[in-house]
Amino acid sequence: MRNTTLIDSGPLIALFDRGDCHHGRVKTFLKTYDGKLLTTWSVLTEVSHMLDFNLHAQLDFLRWVELGGIELYEIAQKELTDMIEMMQKYSDIPMDLADASLMYVAHKEGIETIVSIDSDFDIYRTLKKGFLKNLLLQ
């Protein structure tokens, strides 16, 4: 997927939580980013859960997604096998479902970039041993 970058839950939480220490950096990055941001339903769920301290923040986030702020990638049930394999491989870190879903999408779609505040993406590799370049750390 050309000019597509994956986005993890951390930057999305920071964007909708003004008190988050990464809020300003994420907001600045997103103002200048020119491309499509892609994530998964498990990331969407994780963000909603982490924003549960404020219903308005949750609703603002969901409306932003509804309006196309990010695109959601559909993962079929039969594709869980590869994510389980990755989660087992990185069980010492550990890799959660949201991170596994992003690494799976990167593998499947040939995406090489991510926006994350999580250093685990410096360690993770796709099923083809590829790594993701974190655009937020540039």
Side-chain angles (χ1 to χ4, degrees):
M1 298 182 116
R2 196 163 169 83
N3 205 25
T4 299
T5 296
L6 295 169
I7 189 163
D8 191 21
S9 56
L12 294 171
I13 294 164
L15 183 62
F16 287 88
D17 178 2
R18 290 187 176 108
D20 189 289
C21 65
H22 301 285
H23 176 78
R25 181 168 57 129
V26 170
K27 191 172 176 181
T28 299
F29 171 82
L30 291 177
K31 283 183 181 179
T32 61
Y33 176 74
D34 184 27
K36 181 169 65 171
L37 294 170
L38 185 65
T39 201
T40 63
W41 279 98
S42 53
V43 170
L44 185 83
T45 301
E46 190 171 83
V47 173
S48 295
H49 173 72
M50 296 304 293
L51 293 175
D52 72 351
F53 62 91
N54 184 320
L55 179 61
H56 295 294
Q58 282 182 323
L59 294 173
D60 287 346
F61 168 65
L62 294 173
R63 286 183 185 112
W64 180 73
V65 173
E66 179 184 35
L67 293 171
I70 54 176
E71 184 176 316
L72 292 171
Y73 190 90
E74 295 286 337
I75 296 174
Q77 184 174 353
K78 65 182 179 181
E79 296 173 286
L80 283 172
T81 302
D82 289 332
M83 288 182 279
I84 292 168
E85 180 183 319
M86 284 187 277
M87 290 171 75
Q88 288 173 327
K89 178 180 178 179
Y90 293 105
S91 62
D92 59 325
I93 294 176
M95 175 186 269
D96 64 18
L97 178 61
D99 290 355
S101 70
L102 291 171
M103 292 305 295
Y104 175 74
V105 172
H107 164 77
K108 187 171 179 189
E109 298 298 331
I111 298 171
E112 299 175 345
T113 53
I114 192 165
V115 177
S116 179
I117 58 174
D118 189 349
S119 63
D120 291 346
F121 287 97
D122 296 338
I123 299 166
Y124 300 150
R125 298 292 178 258
T126 65
L127 295 170
K128 291 183 181 176
K129 309 295 183 213
F131 66 95
L132 297 177
K133 180 180 178 183
N134 190 344
L135 299 182
L136 197 57
L137 299 180
Q138 293 183 341

